[in-house]
Amino acid sequence: MNAPVEACLVWRRRGCLDRIRRGDVSGRGSMKPIRNLEIHAWHGCNLACESCSHFSSLDLRGGPSADDCLSWMNAWRDRLEPASFSVLGGEPTMNREFVEIVEAAVQCWPNSHIRVVTNGFFLHRHPRLPEVLSRAKRSTLVVSSHHASEAFQRRFEPVRALVGEWRQNHGVNVHMTEASRFWTRRYEADDEAIRFCDSDARRAWKACMGKYCTQLHDGMLWKCAPAAYFELVAQTRRADPSAHALFGGYMPLEPSAGDAELDAFFAREEEEICRLCPERLVRFDLPMPLGRRRRLLADAAD
């Protein structure tokens, strides 16, 4: 990454986190209803789904602790009223503190629809999840199947069996989705580099499927997943200077922002950063995502 941009991002994050720890979140006012708020419980993934919109197939590693997530949520819980709050990734169940993160979401946003989005392969590691989800006023366990092939479905069958048992015996609201049926190209990437679009920002924003997927990351609000997690990708892939400039120039919203800034953040539609995404979503057949990672479980938390 361009050194001045990287230094700016590091300074911005450290300053924001220091203010959160001190409880300095001035500017709070009335609760603001929003459509959706999302948090990564883990950045990496056990699957390698090409052109993942959260960059999770590009050797991302690690994730926040439950304490991190709780502090980030606490910074915004008295200001935001999300209709839906989603715990996802990456693959969130790779975090050993995954259930504690879901508990924090239930605690901080009791009136929100709590959604857990997972590929399901590590759900068996978290037997307390049904009990925690039962505390939410509304909750959904969204389980995504990422390939229709017989080989994938054989591996996926224990996931279907487990969530079926949780649905029947614990009353968990389960939504199964065939994610690969709707897979679209967001960028091009190989083992060395990632290449973004050069689009018209307005047309890209109108086409975007993630325009209402605000991310809560490092205590700040980010317009979308690419904006929030590009800095992690820049540690594993080369990108053009123009991409670094647009991502580096993007300013997330800190908890100290006033109500007018908060309103403006959610009212804003296209921005310069939207130029990096496609103007038209092109569907493609997702290659088999199993067995394509060199370090399949190397970054699993347990």
Side-chain angles (χ1 to χ4, degrees), residues 149-171:
S149 68
E150 182 179 349
F152 185 94
Q153 292 303 315
R154 280 199 304 270
R155 294 280 298 276
F156 194 68
E157 185 54 38
V159 177
R160 293 188 188 274
L162 177 63
V163 299
E165 188 271 330
W166 283 1
R167 174 190 281 146
Q168 180 174 348
N169 296 335
H170 301 282

Side-chain angles (χ1 to χ4, degrees), residues 134-148:
S134 72
R135 300 178 201 165
K137 183 178 296 186
R138 293 177 299 145
S139 66
T140 301
L141 176 61
V142 181
V143 182
S144 300
S145 168
H146 286 269
H147 208 261

Side-chain angles (χ1 to χ4, degrees), residues 1 6 9 13 40-44 54-64 72 89-90 194 196 215-218 222 225-239 244 247 295 299:
M1 178 181 291
E6 183 177 18
L9 289 171
R13 175 182 298 108
H40 264 203
W42 201 249
H43 303 309
H54 286 237
F55 303 137
S56 300
S57 61
L58 301 181
D59 300 314
L60 300 195
R61 301 172 67 84
W72 303 348
I194 182 169
F196 295 95
Q215 302 295 303
L216 175 55
H217 174 58
D218 277 348
W222 304 71
Y229 308 117
F230 172 76
E231 189 177 356
L232 300 176
V233 174
Q235 299 171 21
T236 72
R237 299 293 191 281
R238 295 192 312 271
H244 281 290
F247 279 120
R295 300 186 300 273
D299 63 348

Side-chain angles (χ1 to χ4, degrees), residues 9-275:
L9 289 171
V10 171
W11 174 87
R12 186 168 66 201
R13 175 182 298 108
R14 286 176 179 169
C16 177
L17 293 179
D18 286 345
R19 286 190 289 277
I20 291 172
R21 294 187 186 103
R22 294 196 305 268
D24 178 9
V25 287
S26 58
R28 288 182 171 179
S30 58
M31 296 281 282
K32 181 174 183 61
I34 62 173
R35 300 187 189 208
N36 181 45
L37 186 59
E38 302 181 350
I39 193 167
H40 264 203
W42 201 249
H43 303 309
C45 188
N46 57 306
L47 300 181
C49 297
E50 184 178 331
S51 204
C52 171
S53 62
H54 286 237
F55 303 137
S56 300
S57 61
L58 301 181
D59 300 314
L60 300 195
R61 301 172 67 84
S65 68
D67 285 344
D68 289 336
C69 292
L70 180 59
S71 69
W72 303 348
M73 295 180 201
N74 278 334
W76 294 98
R77 63 185 297 180
D78 295 330
R79 303 195 66 192
L80 298 178
E81 193 170 30
S84 175
F85 186 89
S86 302
V87 179
L88 39 69
E91 176 44 49
T93 60
M94 292 176 75
N95 190 331
R96 64 166 59 94
E97 297 181 355
F98 160 67
V99 172
E100 287 73 21
I101 294 171
V102 178
E103 283 184 306
V106 173
Q107 170 189 333
C108 289
W109 280 289
N111 295 318
S112 298
H113 183 173
I114 304 299
R115 299 171 69 251
V116 171
V117 184
T118 172
N119 63 45
F121 282 98
F122 300 133
L123 278 174
H124 63 278
R125 297 180 177 178
H126 305 283
R128 284 203 312 120
L129 182 62
E131 187 272 327
V132 170
L133 289 177
S134 72
R135 300 178 201 165
K137 183 178 296 186
R138 293 177 299 145
S139 66
T140 301
L141 176 61
V142 181
V143 182
S144 300
S145 168
H146 286 269
H147 208 261
S149 68
E150 182 179 349
F152 185 94
Q153 292 303 315
R154 280 199 304 270
R155 294 280 298 276
F156 194 68
E157 185 54 38
V159 177
R160 293 188 188 274
L162 177 63
V163 299
E165 188 271 330
W166 283 1
R167 174 190 281 146
Q168 180 174 348
N169 296 335
H170 301 282
V172 175
N173 180 27
V174 177
H175 176 68
M176 303 292 296
T177 179
E178 304 297 326
S180 60
R181 292 177 55 195
F182 310 103
W183 210 259
T184 57
R185 178 77 59 193
R186 309 302 177 86
Y187 53 83
E188 299 279 355
D190 54 34
D191 288 345
E192 302 296 330
I194 182 169
R195 295 169 292 278
F196 295 95
C197 300
D198 183 13
S199 298
D200 175 82
R202 180 61 181 175
R203 287 197 292 267
W205 182 85
K206 292 181 74 173
C208 181
M209 295 177 65
K211 63 168 63 74
Y212 302 117
C213 295
T214 305
Q215 302 295 303
L216 175 55
H217 174 58
D218 277 348
M220 296 175 281
L221 300 182
W222 304 71
K223 186 179 192 71
C224 57
Y229 308 117
F230 172 76
E231 189 177 356
L232 300 176
V233 174
Q235 299 171 21
T236 72
R237 299 293 191 281
R238 295 192 312 271
D240 288 340
S242 59
H244 281 290
L246 287 173
F247 279 120
Y250 175 81
M251 298 296 291
L253 193 70
E254 298 188 8
S256 58
D259 287 349
E261 293 172 280
L262 186 64
D263 289 341
F265 178 87
F266 283 102
R268 200 171 295 127
E269 295 186 345
E270 75 275 8
E271 301 183 55
E272 282 297 290
I273 196 173
C274 298
R275 290 168 47 196

